[in-house]
Amino acid sequence: MNPTKVAEMDRHREAVAAELARHGWDEPLWFETTAEDPGVGMVKQALAEGADLVFSSGGDGTVRACAEGLLDTGVPLAVLPVGTGNLLVRNLSLPGTLAEAVAAGVEGDTRAIDAGVIDGRPFVVMAGIGLDAAMAESTSEGAKRRIGWLAYAGSIVKHLRDKPFDVTLRLDGRVTLRRRAMMVLVGNVGRLQGGLSLLPDARPDDGELDVLVLAPRRPSDWLRVVGHVLTRSRRYDRRVERYTAARVEVDVVPPVLHECDGDTIGHGSHMSIETRPGALLLRVPRGSES
C-alpha cells in the first residue's frame, strides 16, 4: 500500500479486510511502501512470509514496483486502484471499485501478461523518451489530485514547443530508422489518460512491444498528429510512425529525459528495451476477455 495515495489508511484497511472476509479470506499482511522503496522490497518480504497473492494498492508506480517483485515467481498480482493514472487498470478494463477489485483478486482468473524491461528496469505499461517523459515530470501530484487526468493534458500543451532530438531506432537488431523526433514511446499496452489510444494495436500478451515515433516537422504538424491519433488512423505518416518488435534500441542526440510507467528515470542518450513474454501473472475478473 502506498500511504501517499490513500487518504484514510485505517478506513481503507478496514474496507479491504471486510471484503476479503466476505469471500472467506483471513486478515491480510500489510506492507507500506516508502520513498526509498516503492514496493519491490515489500513484495519480496511478502513472498518470504508465504504470500500466494499480492494486492497493489496505489498508483502506476506502485503497480510497477509490485510487478517487478513478482516477475517469474508464479505468484499473481491483483490491483486495488487508487490515484489518478491507473493505466494498467484502464487498459485491461480491470475493476475500479474496491469491492470488485477484491473479488477479482480472490475469485478471478489468472492471466499471464508480458513485461517490458528498459535498461534492466521492468515496466508493465509504457516507457519512453521526450514529450511523454517531460509531461510526467512537470505534472504535479497536487494538480493530479485536483483535476485528475486533465492535469496531463495541460502539461502536454506546455511542452509542444520543446526542441526535437535526433533519433536512431533499431528494431530486433535489423530495422534502423533515423528521425528528428519529439517522442519515442514503447508500450506493452496502448492507451493513455483520458482514453487516448497512442498504440491501438498493442496487446499485453502478444510477446511484442509496440513503438510510436512522433516526428512533427513544424508547429502546424501537431494538428495532423492529433488528428492521426484521435482517429486511430493506420495510414502511413512520417510524423506518426508505429512499429512492433521484441527488442528496441534507441539512441538520441542530445540526451533527453526517460520515463518508465509514468516515473521519470533521468536523462540519457541510449535506451534499450525488450519484452519478457508472460512474465507476470495478473488476476482479472472471472470470464473476462483474454
Side-chain angles (χ1 to χ4, degrees):
M1 178 172 62
N2 183 343
T4 69
K5 298 289 187 180
V6 179
E8 299 181 41
M9 289 202 300
D10 289 342
R11 180 177 294 182
H12 183 67
R13 287 191 183 202
E14 291 173 2
V16 172
E19 283 300 321
L20 286 170
R22 197 165 66 84
H23 291 278
W25 284 55
D26 294 333
E27 175 77 17
L29 300 172
W30 290 94
F31 302 91
E32 291 186 16
T33 66
T34 65
E36 295 74 27
D37 186 342
V40 179
M42 293 76 191
V43 167
K44 291 181 178 179
Q45 185 179 351
L47 295 177
E49 297 196 30
D52 53 12
L53 173 65
V54 172
F55 282 91
S56 169
S57 188
D60 290 320
T62 309
V63 171
R64 191 214 66 78
C66 290
E68 178 177 348
L70 290 171
L71 293 184
D72 298 317
T73 65
V75 175
L77 172 69
V79 182
L80 291 175
V82 295
T84 56
N86 299 318
L87 286 181
L88 187 65
V89 170
R90 296 173 189 273
N91 275 274
L92 299 187
S93 300
L94 299 179
T97 68
L98 186 145
E100 292 174 333
V102 169
V106 298
E107 294 185 344
D109 297 330
T110 300
R111 177 180 181 182
I113 67 170
D114 307 334
V117 181
I118 172 173
D119 298 328
R121 180 186 176 99
F123 66 93
V124 292
V125 178
M126 299 177 186
I129 57 177
L131 180 62
D132 64 315
M135 174 191 72
E137 182 182 55
S138 63
T139 305
S140 70
E141 289 296 323
K144 287 189 285 187
R145 282 193 297 269
R146 289 193 305 273
I147 61 175
W149 65 267
L150 288 174
Y152 294 100
S155 181
I156 289 177
V157 172
K158 183 165 58 176
H159 288 284
L160 290 182
R161 292 188 176 273
D162 288 357
K163 291 184 177 180
F165 45 88
D166 294 321
V167 175
T168 300
L169 180 69
R170 295 178 180 85
L171 306 174
D172 291 333
R174 296 190 303 271
V175 179
T176 301
L177 303 172
R178 290 182 173 86
R179 297 287 184 266
R180 187 154 177 81
M182 290 289 291
M183 179 176 80
V184 179
L185 188 69
V186 181
N188 194 38
V189 293
R191 281 184 292 174
L192 290 181
Q193 290 85 357
L196 185 64
S197 183
L198 293 182
L199 299 165
D201 295 327
R203 287 183 57 84
D205 55 3
D206 61 1
E208 297 276 345
L209 295 163
D210 286 63
V211 183
L212 172 70
V213 181
L214 288 189
R217 301 174 187 176
R218 57 187 66 87
S220 59
D221 284 348
W222 280 112
L223 292 176
R224 291 188 61 174
V225 169
V226 171
H228 193 101
V229 171
L230 290 180
T231 61
R232 301 186 182 184
S233 173
R234 287 168 172 78
R235 294 179 58 188
Y236 176 75
D237 189 326
R238 190 180 171 114
R239 298 163 184 81
V240 186
E241 296 180 272
R242 296 185 179 93
Y243 304 92
T244 59
R247 182 175 178 82
V248 180
E249 293 186 73
V250 185
D251 291 290
V252 297
V253 178
V256 294
L257 189 63
H258 295 196
E259 65 88 11
C260 173
D261 279 357
D263 291 330
T264 56
I265 52 177
H267 289 73
S269 58
H270 179 77
M271 181 171 67
S272 178
I273 305 180
E274 61 185 2
T275 185
R276 290 174 61 178
L280 178 66
L281 299 182
L282 184 69
R283 284 290 174 85
V284 299
R286 185 182 299 173
S288 60
E289 183 180 355
S290 61

